[in-house]
Amino acid sequence: MSELSVNHLLGIKYLKKEDIKLIFKTADHFKEVINRPIKKVPSLRDITIANLFFENSTRTRLSFELAEKRLSADVINFSAASSSVKKGETLIDTVNNILSMKVDMVVMRHPNPGAGIFLSKHVKASIINAGDGAHEHPTQALLDSYSIKERLGGVKGKKVVIVGDILHSRVALSNIFALKLQGAEVKVCGPKTLIPKHIESLGVKVETDLRKALEWCDVANMLRVQNERMEISYFPSTREYTQQFGLNKKMLDSLNKEIVIMHPGPINRGVEITSDVADSENAIILDQVQNGVAVRMAVIYLLASKIKQ
Ligand code: CP
């Protein structure tokens, strides 16, 4: 397979196993490029990309912008907080105005699930979903799997537990799709109130005892509790959440094996993970961030190749 089966990256749900293999092979090449003294290639000199962020972001926004610049694309950045969206402009009008300035590709983060899918049906540009509400965050799941592969030599057959606020997490859903597609075994672990009903229908198992989950897994992906998406309380107190689902060094050291610790960021140190775990040898959290640039370069490069045809 030499090209992606899709024209947009809207979610992992729409990808085939071969798409992920192609993205990882291309990311390997770009990882080598960004470790050179000159970290830039001229591949996308003829492509203009708009980064539209309707929701806060540090890692994803900077990582996409860096990936685009490393590929020599022209880049424009849009933040909803300082735009005419505040004056009542619709999403389609905003994007069509930007596209009339000859933009080829849109990277969009939006609080509403399905915003990227909606946009892809109404505008003529390749759309990359940089996180849509509690729905999907496909490039995060790709960089997570890429980082597991780098650390453990592969994803197939690995046991991965995703811990925390599964209900509100786009990272959890995209990871479940990506990991299952590559043949990993997946469990989710967290308070019952933060585990969606019928999640087993996605081929994952539920474990509400963190110790049992950690004893089972090769990799633990620790998620943040997404307070900004909660209108009610899902557990009695943060202290109680941390006591039951927070990972600390004592628990990590008491396991009878080494496990890999991941976190998509931003971390709430002392809540879902203590600092000594986040900064330990087991953690690949900064590798995930570093790999994000190469993986996003690969996604942008492969989608741009389809625009150029
Ligand atoms: N992992 C992630 O999406 O982080 P940001 O919200 O900072 O982009």
Side-chain angles (χ1 to χ4, degrees):
M1 191 173 178
S2 60
E3 65 168 26
L4 292 176
S5 67
V6 291
N7 294 323
H8 310 275
L9 181 60
L10 301 172
I12 301 290
K13 189 178 171 188
Y14 307 103
L15 296 184
K16 299 182 183 354
K17 194 160 68 175
E18 289 70 29
D19 289 317
I20 296 184
K21 277 191 189 159
L22 177 61
I23 291 168
F24 287 179
K25 195 172 134 210
T26 312
D28 285 343
H29 167 67
F30 287 129
K31 185 150 178 167
E32 186 263 313
V33 167
I34 58 181
N35 282 313
R36 291 179 195 162
I38 296 172
K39 302 169 175 55
K40 212 165 165 164
V41 286
S43 316
L44 299 193
R45 274 193 307 203
D46 50 346
I47 294 282
T48 304
I49 305 177
N51 298 315
L52 311 190
F53 279 73
F54 293 85
E55 215 187 45
N56 294 344
S57 170
T58 300
R59 278 145 292 272
T60 311
R61 189 171 59 80
L62 294 177
S63 179
F64 267 112
E65 188 174 343
L66 204 53
E68 292 151 6
K69 288 181 171 167
R70 300 263 195 255
L71 289 165
S72 303
D74 286 326
V75 178
I76 53 172
N77 289 308
F78 164 99
S79 156
S82 56
S83 75
S84 290
V85 168
K86 291 278 171 209
K87 300 175 193 165
E89 192 167 61
T90 66
L91 176 60
I92 292 180
D93 279 342
T94 299
V95 174
N96 272 328
N97 273 273
I98 293 168
L99 294 183
S100 69
M101 300 177 211
K102 306 284 181 212
V103 168
D104 306 290
M105 193 180 287
V106 173
V107 174
M108 186 172 76
R109 170 166 288 193
H110 200 281
N112 294 346
I117 298 167
F118 173 77
L119 201 63
S120 69
K121 291 182 178 150
H122 291 92
V123 301
K124 286 197 181 79
S126 183
I127 312 291
I128 300 179
N129 176 9
D132 59 334
H135 180 223
E136 279 226 40
H137 193 351
T139 55
Q140 179 69 47
L142 289 168
L143 72 88
D144 288 344
S145 283
Y146 186 86
S147 303
I148 292 173
K149 181 170 175 276
E150 186 178 69
R151 176 60 77 105
L152 296 180
V155 175
K156 190 173 178 189
K158 297 294 178 293
K159 294 176 177 166
V160 181
V161 64
I162 306 171
V163 181
D165 181 1
I166 311 299
L167 185 66
H168 299 101
S169 176
R170 54 194 175 210
V171 174
L173 190 59
S174 287
N175 260 280
I176 289 168
F177 287 141
L179 292 165
K180 293 297 298 177
L181 201 56
Q182 295 167 91
E185 284 185 62
V186 184
K187 280 188 182 175
V188 292
C189 177
K192 275 188 182 144
T193 49
L194 289 176
I195 308 267
K197 286 190 177 65
H198 312 302
I199 192 146
E200 289 98 338
S201 66
L202 297 178
V204 306
K205 295 202 169 90
V206 176
E207 175 58 75
T208 50
D209 182 324
L210 180 62
R211 173 167 288 284
K212 281 188 189 161
L214 296 175
E215 274 165 0
W216 169 82
C217 75
D218 302 306
V219 179
N221 195 349
M222 307 300 297
L223 302 183
R224 181 177 65 89
V225 174
Q226 310 231 337
N227 289 310
E228 70 276 21
R229 297 193 206 285
M230 294 182 186
E231 280 158 11
I232 56 165
S233 294
Y234 287 83
F235 44 83
S237 66
T238 303
R239 191 159 166 265
E240 202 159 314
Y241 177 87
T242 300
Q243 273 175 357
Q244 280 196 56
F245 298 102
L247 178 56
N248 57 47
K249 195 78 169 61
K250 194 172 160 206
M251 184 178 277
L252 187 64
D253 288 345
S254 71
L255 301 173
N256 53 17
K257 59 175 182 178
E258 291 289 321
I259 62 168
V260 176
I261 306 299
M262 302 177 73
H263 195 304
I267 297 175
N268 284 146
R269 286 176 185 256
V271 179
E272 67 272 8
I273 189 169
T274 52
S275 278
D276 48 8
V277 175
D279 302 331
S280 70
E281 290 290 312
N282 299 61
I284 58 166
I285 298 168
L286 292 179
D287 298 337
Q288 291 172 258
V289 177
Q290 191 184 87
N291 288 333
V293 178
V295 167
R296 289 182 172 114
M297 285 173 82
V299 168
I300 294 164
Y301 175 82
L302 291 165
L303 288 175
S305 312
K306 299 198 83 174
I307 296 172
K308 289 182 190 178
Q309 281 171 7

